[in-house]
Every structure is written in structure tokens, then in C-alpha cells.
Amino acid sequence: MKKIVALFLAVLMLTTAFAAMAEETRTLVMATNASFPPYEFYNDNGEIVGIDAEIAGAIAAYLGYGFQIDDMDFGAIINAVDSGKADFGLAGMTVTEERLEQVDFSDSYATGVQVVIVKEDSTITTVDDIFADGIIVGVQESTTGDIYITDDFDAAGLPADNVQRYPNGNEAVLALSTGKIDCVVIDNEPAKAYVAANPGLKILETEYVIEDYAACFKKGNEELLEQFNAALKALTEDGTIPAIIEKYIPSDVEDAAE
Ligand code: ARG
């Protein structure tokens, strides 16, 4: 009898130890689209860096998990999260009603603004000007810029072909620089980075849409979502996340530009 109890205890201890190991080595996989500076982009060493990459890394470390980033098309992120291939998506992703039908979102950690990039000498001077017939707008496929422009063009009775979709913002901006399209609708911070990297472009002062960024999770994955939100809150309060944002979007530069 004693032997059986001892065996039972040994098995129990082993199981607990294995469970603890599995728990410790659990790696959180973040799905993103790394062509979206300063949120996620490749540095010169070929590593994915940026606000989202660092925030997620800090959250994983805070929770005691390993951390890995998977780069994919922006439009593939929700599916990766939904199918369990990734634990969460963090990609400057806007919270929208439609996406809320497919995934759950964390608390918001940043604000995004859809802006319009044009050539410096463009006849387009306000957001309203892009709704003139014949204006070709470039967007990053599956983003809110794509969704809003497609809807608004449709409502205005403009041809669907006047919206050109690109796999990432870089390619849309390249098409603008080379005169293939008249403007690009995209989030403000990447827009600033693209304009800084491509001479002859500017951002219109009028804003198109203001939105909230958050991480997305498989629907019903309450446990991880709650852990993520708790970590987000703690790392915001202790200054870690504000410092990450400040590193990539320095407020003095911001003020100087305004
Ligand atoms: N905020 C926009 C959206 O949610 C664009 C995000 C694009 N992000 C990226 N990593 N490429 O649709």
C-alpha cells in the first residue's frame, strides 16, 4: 500500500514539474505585418523592432513567457489568431465593429489617425479633394484605410478601380512617388516615416479618421486577454510603455514640427 502511495506521489510530482516547465517555457507568438514603422519594421540587422514589438516583448517578459514574432500580410493576422497559429496580433491594428465579430481586443494602447499623403505639388489640398472623379487612391490592402476609402468611394458613386491596393504601405508610397497614383491613405505615424524616407511627399493637414489601436485575441481566450491587459496596465503605470513610445515617437520632435 505504501508503495502505491509513493508511486502515486512520484507521478503526481513529475506531472506537476512537467506542467510547470511547460508553463515556464510557453512562448507567446505575436502575429504582425512588419512594414509599418514606427510600430513594426525591420532594422538594419534584419530584426523586427518598433513600438509594438517592444511592448509585446515587455509584456511577455512581465508575464514570464518566451516571445516570438511572426511576420505576415496584414490581412492574414486575424486568421492566424483565430486559428491559434498566433497567440495574439499586434500590428497598429484598429479596433472596428467588424473585426470585433471575429476577434476580441485588448485595452487600447495608442491612437491612430488616417491621413493622406500627396506629392508636394499636388492639387489635392484637403481630404475632400480625394473624392473628385479621376483621383486614384493607394491603400494598404485590408487595412482600415482600404475599408473606409472603399466604402466612401462606393457611397460617392466613384469607380471601384480608383482604389489601388498594395501589400504594404511602402509599395503604396512608391507608387505615389513614381506617379502611378495621386495619394495614399494610411496611418499618421507610418505616413511620417514614409514621407521622411521619400523626398517630394507631404501629409495633408486635414485628418480623415481617428481610431484606437489594440492587440487582438482569439475570441473567448479570456485568460490570455486578461493577463495581457493586466501587464499592459502595470507597464504603462511603471513608465515602461510610455518610454517605448517616447523612444520611437520623441515628443520634442513632435512639438518642433508643430
Ligand atoms: N490601423 C490600420 C488598420 O488597423 C492599419 C494597420 C496596418 N498595420 C500594419 N502593421 N501593417 O487597419
Side-chain angles (χ1 to χ4, degrees):
M1 188 63 189
K2 262 189 194 150
K3 266 188 191 159
I4 292 177
V5 172
L7 185 70
F8 176 76
L9 279 177
V11 169
L12 188 75
M13 275 163 65
L14 269 179
T15 324
T16 320
F18 277 127
M21 268 168 63
E23 189 70 22
E24 258 171 42
T25 53
R26 174 169 181 196
T27 295
L28 286 188
V29 179
M30 159 177 153
T32 199
N33 169 256
S35 62
F36 200 68
Y39 291 96
E40 44 268 333
F41 58 100
Y42 285 88
N43 68 11
D44 293 337
N45 298 326
E47 299 151 347
I48 298 174
V49 294
I51 294 173
D52 290 345
E54 285 201 31
I55 288 181
I59 287 177
Y62 179 89
L63 295 172
Y65 295 140
F67 178 54
Q68 178 190 321
I69 302 180
D70 276 5
D71 187 15
M72 59 190 74
D73 285 343
F74 184 76
I77 296 173
I78 288 195
N79 207 9
V81 167
D82 189 42
S83 67
K85 265 191 238 135
D87 293 294
F88 63 96
L90 196 61
M93 187 181 280
T94 304
V95 181
T96 70
E97 289 302 321
E98 275 171 17
R99 289 176 183 159
L100 276 166
E101 283 169 19
Q102 298 168 277
V103 285
D104 291 336
F105 278 100
S106 70
D107 294 334
S108 177
Y109 64 97
T111 302
V113 183
Q114 295 296 316
V115 295
V116 184
I117 309 177
V118 293
K119 282 196 167 177
E120 260 161 11
D121 59 0
S122 176
T123 54
I124 300 172
T125 58
T126 71
V127 170
D128 291 342
D129 294 343
I130 67 180
F131 297 100
D133 198 6
I135 297 291
I136 311 291
V137 184
V139 293
Q140 181 185 359
E141 185 155 33
S142 304
T143 62
T144 46
D146 179 5
I147 297 161
Y148 303 149
I149 287 291
T150 303
D151 285 355
D152 286 354
F153 269 41
D154 189 44
L158 292 163
D161 285 351
N162 289 11
V163 184
Q164 293 290 315
R165 299 184 178 81
Y166 298 88
N168 57 60
N170 271 321
E171 286 181 45
V173 169
L174 191 69
L176 173 63
S177 286
T178 54
K180 292 200 183 78
I181 56 177
D182 300 299
C183 63
V184 171
V185 171
I186 198 150
D187 306 52
N188 58 332
E189 289 302 331
K192 285 186 205 162
Y194 296 136
V195 167
N198 295 276
L201 303 180
K202 67 175 184 192
I203 300 171
L204 294 186
E205 270 167 36
T206 46
E207 299 168 335
Y208 178 40
V209 181
I210 299 177
E211 36 192 34
D212 288 324
Y213 291 169
C216 65
F217 292 81
K218 186 182 170 70
K219 259 200 171 306
N221 190 356
E222 296 286 330
E223 198 190 340
L224 188 59
L225 179 62
E226 276 165 24
Q227 290 181 0
F228 189 97
N229 276 337
L232 190 66
K233 185 162 185 275
L235 294 171
T236 300
E237 283 169 3
D238 77 2
T240 304
I241 290 178
I244 293 171
I245 295 174
E246 178 66 29
K247 173 176 159 190
Y248 287 97
I249 310 176
S251 46
D252 50 335
V253 171
E254 189 99 323
D255 295 343
E258 273 157 18

